[in-house]
Amino acid sequence: MARMKFLADAERCIECNGCVTACKQEHEIPWGVNRRRVVTLNDGTPGEKSISVACMHCSDAPCMAVCPVDVFYKTSEGIVLHDKDLCIGCGYCFYACPFGAPQFPQDGAFGLRGKMDKCTFCAGGPEPDFSAAEFTKYGRNRIAEGKLPACAEMCATKALLGGDGDVIADIYRRRVTTRGKGSEVWGWGTAYGKPESKPAARPGAKS
Amino acid sequence: MRKLLLVAVAAALPLVAAGCGEKPTVTVYKQGQYQGKPDKQPWDNEQFKGDKVAWEKALKARNVGQNEYERVAAH
């Protein structure tokens, strides 16, 4: 089994936040914690790009390197998981992570920083599979059920792919070679013809 | 006067020597050893009963199912 990876296709993502909702619902994640979120660049302008971001389960994860209590471990499938029982909520992993994946629930009257929570690739944690303890601390263990992460499986446009790195890389490669480039990709060219076959653009018209 | 000069040289010497003794300041991180509870393999549960091949087959079917070029052509 190769390494499990996520792949976000910016050309397909329509910023529907279905992945965010699927994740929240699947794991019953509390208010204020977002294991996954959608980031949009150049929001509001034609050709804006969105990608879905969560823990990318790095091959050489910086969170693992900086954790002072060594709560992180990597499964045989390359999924980065952690033991919440040992977490001291210091936040070092948050500063080390380039994706902002670690999340800290705020508890109590003074906004106390709780134990770190992050995307588990729907693989639970070091509690017995399908146990109540596992669900409460880490959420549902879909990987042990033979399923892929809920966010990727829920994605309507399949912009977010998740699973065996080799397989999803093949899917993405075929997609890129099939769909072309430029306005063909995001629909305008497909619906209204290619830009080069159109007459000169009127002022204010979309390209 | 000469004594004062000697004292001044003696006082400046550690500063000069400190320049020669500079140490590398780039931190090299070392991976720590996991301190938490051991986790089982995803196929070691009631559903797959340790059958790794069945688990991989189930996961691969879902993996390949993400390719709509294959999925649509199959129907």
Side-chain angles (χ1 to χ4, degrees), chain A residues 114-153:
Chain A
K115 290 174 185 291
M116 191 275 277
D117 188 275
K118 75 167 190 74
C119 161
T120 62
F121 208 87
C122 290
E127 299 289 345
D129 288 352
F130 315 135
S131 65
E134 185 182 53
F135 184 78
T136 310
K137 289 178 191 171
Y138 309 102
R140 201 170 143 198
N141 192 342
R142 290 173 59 89
I143 292 291
E145 293 171 10
K147 298 173 184 172
L148 292 173
C151 52
E153 295 212 297

Side-chain angles (χ1 to χ4, degrees), chain A residues 91-127:
Chain A
Y92 278 21
C93 51
F94 179 78
Y95 300 124
C97 178
F99 304 103
Q103 301 280 305
F104 294 90
Q106 299 211 325
D107 296 327
F110 301 102
L112 178 76
R113 187 154 60 183
K115 290 174 185 291
M116 191 275 277
D117 188 275
K118 75 167 190 74
C119 161
T120 62
F121 208 87
C122 290
E127 299 289 345

Side-chain angles (χ1 to χ4, degrees), chain A residues 23-193:
Chain A
C23 178
K24 278 260 183 191
Q25 192 272 338
E26 190 77 358
H27 306 298
E28 296 181 13
I29 296 169
W31 177 257
V33 174
N34 291 294
R35 289 185 180 183
R36 178 168 285 287
R37 65 207 182 283
V38 177
V39 177
T40 304
L41 301 176
N42 300 326
D43 203 355
T45 57
E48 65 176 32
K49 295 279 186 288
S50 302
I51 57 164
S52 179
V53 186
C55 173
M56 298 303 278
H57 301 276
C58 305
S59 302
D60 186 9
C63 55
M64 293 178 85
V66 298
C67 180
V69 284
D70 291 327
V71 302
F72 292 96
Y73 67 103
K74 194 171 278 192
T75 68
S76 53
E77 295 79 45
I79 302 169
V80 178
L81 297 177
H82 70 298
D83 187 342
K84 274 193 183 179
D85 293 348
L86 293 178
C87 178
I88 56 172
C90 67
Y92 278 21
C93 51
F94 179 78
Y95 300 124
C97 178
F99 304 103
Q103 301 280 305
F104 294 90
Q106 299 211 325
D107 296 327
F110 301 102
L112 178 76
R113 187 154 60 183
K115 290 174 185 291
M116 191 275 277
D117 188 275
K118 75 167 190 74
C119 161
T120 62
F121 208 87
C122 290
E127 299 289 345
D129 288 352
F130 315 135
S131 65
E134 185 182 53
F135 184 78
T136 310
K137 289 178 191 171
Y138 309 102
R140 201 170 143 198
N141 192 342
R142 290 173 59 89
I143 292 291
E145 293 171 10
K147 298 173 184 172
L148 292 173
C151 52
E153 295 212 297
M154 194 70 79
C155 182
T157 60
K158 286 282 164 275
L160 183 65
L161 299 170
D164 188 338
D166 291 340
V167 177
I168 60 169
D170 285 343
I171 295 171
Y172 187 66
R173 194 177 300 112
R174 179 164 177 191
R175 189 183 283 183
V176 169
T177 52
T178 308
R179 71 185 171 197
K181 60 179 170 46
S183 62
E184 292 167 86
V185 177
W186 54 285
W188 192 266
T190 310
Y192 301 107

